[in-house]
Amino acid sequence: MSFGRNPHVAKAELAEQKALIAGDDTARAVAWRDAARAWDRAAEREMSDKRREEYTQRAEAARRSADGEPEPVEDEPAKPALTPTARIMN
């Protein structure tokens, strides 16, 4: 870990990964709640208002996932998916 880095961000991301691969609903809910707790702690330690707001939103989203609620739908248009004929140039 380097100086100036928020260690709770990595912990929250790890908890989210655990929630995504959890085998049953109970383990998934516990992992999402752990992620929400870690995002809250990351927000408390953050100096930047922009990042603090992002971490708070991610904590709320993790709590909604733990409760089994669907994600709120935003009014932004969906990005078009790549078709099989589309080519990506590197």
Side-chain angles (χ1 to χ4, degrees), residues 1-77:
M1 179 172 26
S2 64
F3 292 104
R5 309 266 339 229
N6 192 336
H8 299 290
V9 173
K11 292 176 184 179
E13 290 172 345
L14 178 64
E16 285 182 347
Q17 289 297 319
K18 286 181 181 179
L20 292 174
I21 62 171
D24 63 352
D25 293 337
T26 304
R28 189 173 300 113
V30 168
W32 279 120
R33 292 198 192 284
D34 287 344
R37 213 171 301 121
W39 283 122
D40 285 336
R41 293 191 71 189
E44 289 172 2
R45 295 184 62 159
E46 190 57 53
M47 300 294 179
S48 168
D49 291 335
K50 183 178 177 182
R51 285 191 192 136
R52 187 179 307 123
E53 180 63 30
E54 176 190 349
Y55 297 163
T56 302
Q57 289 175 356
R58 290 186 76 171
E60 292 169 2
R63 284 191 185 87
R64 281 192 302 274
S65 295
D67 294 337
E69 297 176 14
E71 292 292 322
V73 177
E74 297 181 12
D75 293 337
E76 296 179 17

